[in-house]
């Protein structure tokens, strides 16, 4: 099936189901993206490849787009990180721009220029400001338009997760990053959490043996958030009116992908996906909303529980789960099975053959002293005001550090595309009663020779 046909079917699959919704279903049209029959090979554009080294920079001038809940967390982090300079801020809500500007001034920086003339004002920011990086934490449907505008204007791009919601948009990111020679990074904070990074350290030291299987999930009761009158309540619920699959695959899958060297020795090859009935949001609606609340007219199609199985080119297996609609404590699963043992998240446990008591789990806390990742040990990071705790700060720190050192970013555009493509591919598989969907090779063969992410030091 051609890429265009794929996209048309996807949009059609959702479109008919959104009727009667009080929140408009997000448009998945990727009109900014022309179909590209053959993408340029790296090197042919005369630009540095996404994973290549570049000139070091003394400072990173940043334009931030979308300073809501998560965006403001990044802004606060960036104001603490040496080399980062918040130069411009954009949001459709003027008061949020103001709040970010005030934070910068309170930290002794020049007031960043504000942009709040509507939903496409980021285009003006990208065109007018002298920036090195545009970073977005907007609702999902805006990530790709912001990043494409950034790269077309000669800026590196970083985004919150998922980077893109369609396979077409994944290709658009790849094409733009290659054409303009810019970094395009999906900021997957869970790759930097302590247990996940220790797991990577164990894998790199060979303690788990050959990695065979992973389990990953995003299991988070977001019913209250989705029906809130602010923040994500203004946009996230709309996705559930038209799309049934795994809408948020990257938190669990990112760290597993790193341990399996996805795009760097292996790659996702195909996925099958199934969804349970859709009940949680309907129940919430009936039990919490007034009889005349227009949100009662919304109809949801997102199955409460979505489960997928991914196979990699090297034959490994991954179980991928998503549930944001039912009562349950938070979990990202995080299980990694190797030939010499396994680790398992939530609760964090380890079993290593020859080290752990036979057939018994050990608490992972006992492993940190010996196997903590160097990023979690680094004194200079510990000495900074890390604001919102470890992982969000670390991911921002690493992004700025890679840019100032001129090193490749930890995750690049191929990772952003492969991980994010699971959104549309899971939706398509669910619509076909679990038929396998092939995952595009966004690296176009280079996954075989790209080097794995090493255990980096700050
Ligand atoms: N990594 C994580 O742990 C994590 C946690 C929360 C949210 N997120 C991600 O961060 C992103 C934002 O989520 P949030 O919780 O901060 O939502 P939010 O609604 O609190 O913030 C979104 C902000 O974007 C602004 N905005 C909307 N459209 C815009 C446009 N066209 N141009 C400029 N600004 C625009 C909104 O006014 C709002 O301030 C999402 O992609 C979400 O998935 C990630």
């Amino acid at each position: 099936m051609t890429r265009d046909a794929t996209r048309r079917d996807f949009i059609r699959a959702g479109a008919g189901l959104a009727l009667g919704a009080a929140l408009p279903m997000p448009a998945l049209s990727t009109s900014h993206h022309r179909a590209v029959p053959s993408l340029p090979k790296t090197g042919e554009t005369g630009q540095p490849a996404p994973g290549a080294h570049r000139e070091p920079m003394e400072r990173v001038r940043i334009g931030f787009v979308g300073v809501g809940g998560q965006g403001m967390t990044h802004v606060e982090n960036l104001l603490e990180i040496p080399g980062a300079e918040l130069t411009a801020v954009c949001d459709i809500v003027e008061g949020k721009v103001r709040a970010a500007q005030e934070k910068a001034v309170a930290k002794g920086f020049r007031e960043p220029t504000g942009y709040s003339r509507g939903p496409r004002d980021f285009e003006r920011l990208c065109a007018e400001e002298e920036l090195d990086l545009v970073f977005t934490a907007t609702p999902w449907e805006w990530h790709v338009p912001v990043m494409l505008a950034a790269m077309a204007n000669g800026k590196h791009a970083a985004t919150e997760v998922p980077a893109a919601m369609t396979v077409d948009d994944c290709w658009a990111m790849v094409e733009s990053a290659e054409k303009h020679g810019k970094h395009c990074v999906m900021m997957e904070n869970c790759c930097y959490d302590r247990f996940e990074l220790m797991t990577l350290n164990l894998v790199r030291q060979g303690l788990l043996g050959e990695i065979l299987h992973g389990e990953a999930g995003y299991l988070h009761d977001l019913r209250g958030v989705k029906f809130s009158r602010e923040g994500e309540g203004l946009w996230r619920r709309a996705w559930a009116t038209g799309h049934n699959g795994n809408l948020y695959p990257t938190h669990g899958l990112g760290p597993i992908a790193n341990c399996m060297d996805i795009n760097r020795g292996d790659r996702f090859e195909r996925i099958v996906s199934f969804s349970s009935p859709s009940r949680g949001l309907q129940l919430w609606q009936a039990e919490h909303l007034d009889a005349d609340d227009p949100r009662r007219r919304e109809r949801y199609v997102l199955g409460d529980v979505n489960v997928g199985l991914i196979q990699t080119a090297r034959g490994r297996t991954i179980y991928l789960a998503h549930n944001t609609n039912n009562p349950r404590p938070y979990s990202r699963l995080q299980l990694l099975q190797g030939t010499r043992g396994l680790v398992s998240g939530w609760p964090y446990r380890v079993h290593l053959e020859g080290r752990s008591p036979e057939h018994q789990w050990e608490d992972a806390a006992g492993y940190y002293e010996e196997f903590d990742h160097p990023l979690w040990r680094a004194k200079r990071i510990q000495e900074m005001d890390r604001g919102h705790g470890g992982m969000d700060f670390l991911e921002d720190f690493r992004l700025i550090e890679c840019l100032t050192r001129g090193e490749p970013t930890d995750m690049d555009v191929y990772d952003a595309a492969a991980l994010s493509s699971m959104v549309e591919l899971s939706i398509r598989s669910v619509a076909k009663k679990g038929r396998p969907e092939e995952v595009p090779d966004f690296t176009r063969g280079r996954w075989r020779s790209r080097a794995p992410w090493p255990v980096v030091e700050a």
Side-chain angles (χ1 to χ4, degrees):
M1 187 178 285
T2 67
R3 208 181 303 150
D4 253 13
T6 305
R7 179 165 66 83
R8 271 199 310 274
D9 289 354
F10 181 49
I11 295 165
R12 201 183 302 132
L17 300 164
L19 298 174
L23 262 181
M25 189 185 68
L28 286 166
S29 161
T30 48
S31 55
H32 50 269
H33 174 50
R34 62 196 158 77
V36 183
S38 69
L39 297 168
K41 293 194 173 60
T42 298
E44 285 181 2
T45 61
Q47 298 285 3
H53 283 75
R54 288 169 169 76
E55 281 298 303
M57 327 175 175
E58 248 173 60
R59 59 185 178 144
V60 182
R61 295 161 301 175
I62 303 162
F64 208 102
V65 184
V67 280
Q70 186 66 2
M72 203 59 104
T73 298
H74 289 296
V75 161
E76 287 166 3
N77 289 339
L78 292 166
L79 292 173
E80 296 293 333
I81 296 173
E85 213 173 278
L86 188 67
T87 306
V89 180
C90 173
D91 199 291
I92 50 173
V93 180
E94 203 179 342
K96 295 193 180 188
V97 171
R98 192 76 230 134
Q101 287 172 318
E102 281 166 10
K103 280 185 193 286
V105 171
K107 287 282 177 186
F109 292 97
R110 180 184 71 74
E111 183 175 276
T113 319
Y115 290 79
S116 54
R117 290 190 202 154
R120 300 208 78 92
D121 209 24
F122 61 82
E123 290 172 342
R124 199 165 58 93
L125 174 147
C126 292
E128 289 182 359
E129 290 285 327
E130 283 195 18
L131 301 169
D132 303 298
L133 170 71
V134 175
F135 192 147
T136 183
T138 44
W140 300 336
E141 56 270 34
W142 288 105
H143 293 173
V144 171
V146 173
M147 289 194 294
L148 295 187
M151 291 187 280
N153 282 282
K155 281 98 178 164
H156 298 300
T159 181
E160 259 303 337
V161 299
M165 302 300 277
T166 67
V167 171
D168 238 26
D169 268 355
C170 290
W171 278 114
M173 290 188 299
V174 169
E175 181 201 13
S176 179
E178 291 180 342
K179 179 176 167 190
H180 299 293
K182 292 292 155 195
H183 293 295
C184 178
V185 185
M186 184 176 73
M187 302 296 288
E188 182 37 83
N189 51 348
C190 301
C191 292
Y192 295 86
D193 211 353
R194 192 175 187 185
F195 177 74
E196 283 80 347
L197 277 179
M198 181 177 77
T199 300
L200 184 68
N201 206 8
L202 290 171
V203 171
R204 293 288 179 256
Q205 293 190 32
L207 288 160
L208 291 174
E210 182 188 346
I211 303 304
L212 303 171
H213 171 78
E215 297 183 11
Y218 184 66
L219 307 168
H220 191 184
D221 179 0
L222 290 178
R223 292 170 301 165
V225 168
K226 289 186 191 182
F227 280 99
S228 165
R229 292 287 192 189
E230 55 182 18
E232 296 192 3
L234 303 180
W235 56 269
R236 192 168 182 149
R237 197 177 68 259
W239 287 88
T241 64
H243 303 295
N244 183 10
N246 188 334
L247 301 185
Y248 208 60
T250 70
H251 277 344
L253 193 55
I256 297 288
N258 286 336
C259 291
M260 289 191 178
D261 301 331
I262 296 299
N263 295 330
R264 296 168 169 79
D266 201 353
R267 73 175 196 87
F268 301 135
E269 209 167 61
R270 74 186 67 83
I271 178 172
V272 296
S273 184
F274 302 88
S275 284
S276 79
S278 179
R279 297 281 185 271
L281 298 182
Q282 280 82 345
L283 280 170
W284 184 276
Q285 214 184 29
E287 290 165 7
H288 291 79
L289 304 185
D290 294 338
D292 59 350
D293 190 318
R295 294 175 296 171
R296 273 186 174 252
R297 292 202 303 275
E298 293 174 356
R299 293 292 168 262
Y300 310 106
V301 299
L302 177 66
D304 291 354
V305 180
N306 173 267
V307 292
L309 283 175
I310 300 170
Q311 185 146 53
T312 74
R314 286 171 58 185
R316 291 145 160 179
T317 47
I318 302 169
Y319 167 86
L320 182 64
H322 177 261
N323 180 2
T324 54
N325 288 355
N326 298 132
R328 55 154 306 132
Y330 182 89
S331 168
R332 296 199 300 269
L333 265 181
Q334 284 308 297
L335 181 144
L336 200 65
Q337 175 73 65
T339 51
R340 295 290 170 210
L342 83 163
V343 298
S344 173
W346 313 84
Y348 296 134
R349 302 171 293 177
V350 179
H351 176 85
L352 296 183
E353 194 171 49
R355 183 178 174 114
S356 308
E358 278 188 30
H359 302 289
Q360 283 180 41
W361 289 108
E362 293 181 282
D363 189 333
Y367 276 75
Y368 286 121
E369 196 178 333
E370 199 175 339
F371 297 108
D372 221 358
H373 191 284
L375 288 178
W376 276 85
R377 289 188 201 274
K379 216 163 170 274
R380 55 186 282 246
I381 295 180
Q382 281 171 10
E383 280 166 3
M384 290 180 204
D385 176 1
R386 289 186 292 165
H388 287 73
M391 66 180 185
D392 291 16
F393 185 85
L394 260 182
E395 68 165 348
D396 291 332
F397 177 89
R398 277 295 297 167
L399 176 66
I400 300 304
E401 184 170 72
C402 290
L403 292 177
T404 51
R405 287 179 175 177
E407 291 175 355
T409 52
D410 297 336
M411 311 252 294
D412 62 24
V413 71
Y414 304 118
D415 304 311
L419 290 161
S420 303
S421 71
M422 293 302 156
V423 175
E424 177 176 345
L425 296 173
S426 65
I427 291 170
R428 299 188 66 76
S429 178
V430 167
K432 294 176 187 163
K433 298 187 183 299
R435 275 212 352 233
E437 287 290 313
E438 297 298 314
V439 183
D441 173 11
F442 295 101
T443 72
R444 278 158 287 136
R446 288 192 291 272
W447 60 272
R448 291 188 180 84
S449 54
R450 281 158 46 91
W453 187 32
V455 175
V456 294
E457 310 224 357

